[in-house]
Amino acid sequence: MSTTAPDPLATLGALPGVADAVDSVRKAVDRVYGHRVMRRRSNEVTAEAALRGARGSAALSGADWNLEEVRRRTDFSGDDESQVIGAALRLTAEAGQLLSIWRQSPLRVLARLHLVAAGGAAPDDAVGRPRLAGEPVDEPLIEAPLPSADEVAGRLEGLSGLILAGSAAPALVTAAVVHGELLALRPFGSYNGLVARTAERIVLIGSGLDPKSICPAEVGHAEQGRAGYVAAFEGYLSGTPEGVAAWIAHCGRAVELGVRESTAVCEALQRGAA
């Protein structure tokens, strides 16, 4: 008699309140995909969502710039905030290019994301690999204790295994777990928050929930505020069913707020005012 291995992500999908969050996200995404502007101008909506998503992710990492300033600037090689904005923009541009690799080797994608984010700003031997024992981590927003380098390596392998094995869990659940786990591990010496939010974006796109990448969850995470983001993440970190469910719901609300942002973009394009 054969047995089927349990699906941990699907188990999370059964937590109280998660099904409601998943359903709400799906309905919101379906509405924006059904907007008449999406029939002919979806590329413009995608480009605008990428810009706004990058701005939102950078804001959570301490570079809270006005959208028009992000749009206007071309040189991001200056101070720390400029470098964060530049990293966020590069990551957003890269995300869509890594979907096929993500399905085959998530760890390669994470390494690539850190390489893209760092953009030469970190020592070469520290870029694109998980941190070693004793190496510092620059991630001021997340103050939770750092797992050891050995724990990071083991949990990254476990996360990769979950992704490669596939899951019946909704895309929102998988995306929230990938995001939360990377925040918890902070596997790189820098830009972990940006990488975690980009990985969430990759899951949402690659799962088919948001294939055109027009629902920038990063916008919603930023709109809910840094304090709300940290509080929800602490729920994930607690490992309790209630805490994990609250984190998934928080990520779902972020997607819905991203949908609202892109709906406004569609309306502006329809009026000829974008």
Side-chain angles (χ1 to χ4, degrees):
M1 182 176 67
S2 64
T3 59
T4 302
D7 182 344
L9 294 175
T11 300
L12 296 180
L15 291 174
V18 171
D20 288 342
V22 168
D23 185 56
S24 184
V25 165
R26 167 53 68 189
K27 288 177 179 176
V29 172
D30 286 348
R31 282 195 300 272
V32 73
Y33 270 84
H35 197 287
R36 61 187 302 177
V37 165
M38 289 295 296
R39 298 173 195 165
R40 295 186 178 181
R41 305 183 71 177
S42 64
N43 288 344
E44 294 172 70
V45 181
T46 296
E48 192 65 21
L51 182 71
R52 294 175 187 226
R55 194 217 72 83
S57 191
L60 286 170
S61 288
D64 191 359
W65 286 19
N66 179 278
L67 179 64
E68 293 312 312
E69 177 67 9
V70 177
R71 195 192 305 278
R72 181 186 66 82
R73 289 280 289 271
T74 57
D75 181 6
F76 300 98
S77 61
D79 58 18
D80 288 347
E81 286 194 7
S82 297
Q83 291 179 26
V84 168
I85 295 285
L89 289 167
R90 290 192 298 273
L91 284 171
T92 302
E94 188 78 6
Q97 311 302 314
L98 298 172
L99 296 176
S100 61
I101 303 173
W102 176 261
R103 299 183 186 104
Q104 300 169 8
S105 180
L107 298 185
R108 278 181 58 200
V109 169
L110 294 176
R112 173 64 183 170
L113 291 177
H114 187 244
L115 182 68
V116 168
D124 288 346
D125 64 352
V127 173
R129 63 156 174 79
R131 55 187 168 83
L132 304 177
E135 290 184 336
V137 172
D138 179 16
E139 191 60 48
L141 180 61
I142 305 301
E143 298 180 352
L146 277 171
S148 69
D150 286 344
E151 183 179 351
V152 167
R155 286 172 64 178
L156 282 177
E157 287 292 342
L159 182 63
S160 176
L162 283 177
I163 294 164
L164 293 174
S167 173
L172 173 64
V173 173
T174 303
V177 168
V178 168
H179 184 170
E181 193 68 1
L182 291 174
L183 279 185
L185 296 178
R186 281 148 289 162
F188 303 110
S190 58
Y191 299 114
N192 288 289
L194 294 179
V195 168
R197 291 184 288 276
T198 305
E200 179 186 49
R201 171 184 282 265
I202 288 172
V203 173
L204 293 172
I205 299 169
S207 67
L209 177 65
D210 180 24
K212 294 183 182 294
S213 191
I214 62 167
C215 307
E218 304 96 325
V219 168
H221 286 304
E223 190 167 332
Q224 293 179 91
R226 297 180 90 194
Y229 183 73
V230 171
F233 168 66
E234 287 174 352
Y236 176 84
L237 207 57
S238 74
T240 65
E242 297 80 7
V244 174
W247 169 250
I248 294 170
H250 185 89
C251 291
R253 180 59 180 157
V255 175
E256 291 186 64
L257 291 169
V259 166
R260 187 176 71 179
E261 188 86 355
S262 286
T263 300
V265 170
C266 288
E267 295 294 332
L269 286 170
Q270 186 168 283
R271 295 191 306 268

